[in-house]
Amino acid sequence: MGTDPEKKALNMRATIREEYSGDPRIAQLAQRTNQFNLTARRYSEEEIGRFLADPGAGYRVFTLQLEDRFGDAGKVGLLILRAAPDGGYEIDTFCLSCRAIGLTVERAFLAHIIGVLKKENVSSLKGVYIPTDRNSLVRDLYAKVFGFRESRREENRTE
């Protein structure tokens, strides 16, 4: 998670897991995260519960929990995948709590999920950015940090 000596001294540990049951913190991340939120989609606890309860709906929910030498920061990241018609996935929601901004944990988070999808022989992964007045921080994240290629741009959406 970066080579910055100060970050290394924190002894950060990330736990990334696919969720199969509800946790109110998942909905809190979806509802309250603004700066590092690529689509600004807001899901309630009930909606996320439906995603988790129905595997046929095509959603997969991943969380990132972060700990350092000072303690457990809890769940600070959320990534929701939605099945795409081509057999791949679209990143429906990708957000990090302000507690994790600047720590570069988003790289480990998405890299882990890409690894999971590769093992499953998933054909494609599409990232979506929907601009808001508060999320310009992540405007170029997919292209500059992860090397995604832009496939489509509309007035209020980039894929």
Side-chain angles (χ1 to χ4, degrees):
M1 284 185 264
T3 57
D4 183 326
E6 289 179 26
K7 290 177 191 170
K8 193 171 185 174
L10 288 174
N11 194 25
M12 290 188 292
R13 292 172 307 285
T15 303
I16 300 165
R17 65 174 50 99
E18 186 164 1
E19 297 288 336
Y20 296 100
S21 61
D23 174 351
R25 177 66 180 148
I26 297 170
Q28 289 171 2
L29 283 164
Q31 293 168 359
R32 296 182 184 166
T33 305
N34 294 304
Q35 289 183 311
F36 196 113
N37 188 333
L38 282 106
T39 60
R41 292 186 175 121
R42 310 293 183 190
Y43 292 116
S44 68
E45 198 171 333
E46 293 77 25
E47 289 170 309
I48 291 173
R50 283 195 299 271
F51 297 162
L52 295 169
D54 183 5
Y59 287 89
R60 296 174 72 178
V61 178
F62 294 84
T63 58
L64 168 72
Q65 184 168 334
L66 195 59
E67 297 176 66
D68 63 24
R69 67 184 178 110
F70 297 109
D72 186 351
K75 289 179 181 166
V76 297
L78 171 66
L79 195 143
I80 300 174
L81 298 176
R82 181 175 56 217
D86 69 357
Y89 283 95
E90 175 179 296
I91 300 173
D92 177 88
T93 301
F94 186 11
C95 55
L96 284 182
S97 165
C98 60
R99 291 181 281 173
I101 291 175
L103 299 176
T104 67
V105 295
E106 67 275 6
R107 294 170 189 249
F109 193 17
L110 188 55
H112 174 82
I113 291 165
I114 289 170
V116 167
L117 297 177
K118 280 184 179 180
K119 284 181 186 173
E120 297 172 359
N121 294 314
V122 170
S123 63
S124 66
L125 178 63
K126 182 188 331 180
V128 176
Y129 170 69
I130 299 173
T132 70
D133 60 342
R134 301 195 53 203
N135 74 352
S136 63
L137 172 74
V138 293
R139 174 182 31 242
D140 299 322
L141 184 80
Y142 288 127
K144 288 189 177 175
V145 176
F146 298 112
F148 280 44
R149 178 178 35 88
E150 187 175 308
S151 63
R152 188 171 70 161
R153 182 181 293 252
E154 298 172 1
E155 183 178 340
N156 292 316
R157 180 180 170 114
T158 303
E159 297 179 359

